Amino acid sequence: MPVNLNGKSALVTGAAHGIGLAIARELAARGASVWVLDLERERPAEIAATIGAAGVAADVTDRESLGQAFSVLPALDIVVANAGTAIVAPLEETTASVWDRTIALNLSGLFHTVQLAAASMKPRRSGAIVLMASTNSYDGEPHLSAYNASKAGVLGILHTAANELGPWQIRVNAVNPGLIRTRLTQAAFDNEGVLKDYFRHVPLGRGGQPEEVARAVAFLASEEASFITGATLLVDGGQMAGKFGTWSEETASFQTDHWRLR
Ligand SMILES: NC(=O)c1ccc[n+]([C@@H]2O[C@H](COP(=O)([O-])OP(=O)(O)OC[C@H]3O[C@@H](n4cnc5c(N)ncnc54)[C@H](O)[C@@H]3O)[C@@H](O)[C@H]2O)c1
């Protein structure tokens, strides 16, 4: 059955670009009234207008700014806590500032979003919250210590929130994408050598598109997932199952951005 979100109100944070924008577009296409929340400088209202949504400017790291944004919205059925970033630096060169900025956005910002979502949903005793985790919630990918710690922390919020909000019939789930093509990962996608090595360990032999994550989020946000809470859904082409290296030159070749059997 196709995912139907008619009559639902939805907020997506960090939705002016990349995965967040794809999620906002997907939820709107499924019938939801969508609010695109992003930093004022990213012009969320303008971007929202292009996908039939509304925009709201706020900084998720600033509790007051985020609280103000929620206060002008109607009661929400769906909240997607997506805003996040990754700053690449070896462990010993990860400055206090890089650490603090990453935790403030990926973990504290997500925490504020979940708290405000719960307050919006509790009076109606229903709702669906989807958190943006990552394969890095589990993996120690080098040069991403702050990012990996923040995304592991997202699972702590996931499990606790699912536990506490279940009695209000508010479901809380997470998606864990692998490498997805956005501006955040453009440098990797511009480097064929990096992709070849990375995707050697991905059973489907390629990276993902934001729309492929968005469809998983729409499912978890919908009634199709009515008995699912506290769950994580990998959207990674099998990466977490592919530790031993799926692809080799003996049987396959790498072309531009994907492996293919010969
Ligand atoms: N791209 C990937 O491969 C990948 C993989 C796994 C998880 N993720 C996660 O997906 C999410 C989106 O990543 P993306 O690749 O689309 O990145 P992106 O940079 O394209 O988009 C991030 C969005 O968040 C917004 N944002 C940043 N700081 C904000 C703040 N303080 N308040 C409100 N909005 C803010 C940005 O303006 C932007 O619109 C992140 O949480 C990221 O960690 C991405």
Side-chain angles (χ1 to χ4, degrees):
M1 190 186 289
V3 167
N4 181 336
L5 299 175
N6 280 336
K8 302 286 185 190
S9 53
L11 173 74
V12 185
T13 71
H17 298 279
I19 295 172
L21 177 56
I23 294 168
R25 188 186 288 118
E26 182 72 24
L27 300 184
R30 301 280 172 193
S33 301
V34 177
W35 279 266
V36 164
L37 184 147
D38 212 297
L39 297 168
E40 187 152 23
R41 65 165 187 260
E42 303 294 342
R43 305 188 315 279
E46 267 174 57
I47 288 169
T50 67
I51 60 165
V56 55
D59 179 342
V60 301
T61 68
D62 176 346
R63 177 58 192 245
E64 208 181 305
S65 151
L66 193 61
Q68 258 164 22
F70 270 78
S71 72
V72 300
L73 302 179
L76 294 162
D77 300 298
I78 298 166
V79 170
V80 183
N82 163 78
T85 196
I87 305 170
V88 177
L91 178 73
E92 288 155 286
E93 290 165 30
T94 297
T95 59
S97 156
V98 165
W99 175 266
D100 289 346
R101 276 157 49 210
T102 306
I103 299 299
L105 176 54
N106 296 8
L107 195 54
S108 305
L110 181 136
F111 171 70
H112 299 320
T113 306
V114 171
Q115 264 194 344
L116 290 160
S120 174
M121 293 170 177
K122 265 185 166 180
R124 295 195 299 161
R125 299 193 174 202
S126 77
I129 301 172
V130 184
L131 310 182
M132 188 55 61
S134 168
T135 47
N136 295 58
S137 298
Y138 309 110
D139 253 354
E141 186 177 351
H143 301 169
L144 283 168
S145 52
Y147 184 74
N148 295 346
S150 72
K151 291 299 182 181
V154 169
L155 300 189
I157 297 175
L158 166 72
H159 297 140
T160 315
N163 214 352
E164 289 191 25
L165 300 179
W168 275 266
Q169 306 306 313
I170 299 168
R171 298 182 298 102
V172 189
N173 293 293
V175 288
N176 299 63
L179 192 62
I180 309 298
R181 188 190 285 266
T182 67
R183 65 177 189 177
L184 192 64
T185 54
Q186 197 52 51
F189 278 93
D190 286 342
N191 187 329
E192 195 173 321
V194 168
L195 293 186
K196 184 177 179 183
D197 279 350
Y198 198 105
F199 298 157
R200 188 184 292 283
H201 304 276
V202 176
L204 294 185
R206 64 175 177 86
Q209 297 296 333
E211 292 72 23
E212 295 180 292
V213 181
R215 288 195 291 273
V217 171
F219 163 68
L220 288 172
S222 78
E223 282 304 306
E224 301 303 309
S226 55
F227 199 49
I228 303 177
T229 193
T232 53
L233 180 51
L234 288 165
V235 188
D236 68 344
Q239 182 181 329
M240 295 305 287
K243 296 272 171 178
F244 297 100
T246 309
W247 297 90
S248 96
E249 280 81 354
E250 279 172 31
T251 55
S253 60
F254 189 81
Q255 296 152 12
T256 317
D257 60 2
H258 62 274
W259 284 92
R260 191 155 285 171
L261 290 173
R262 272 201 288 274

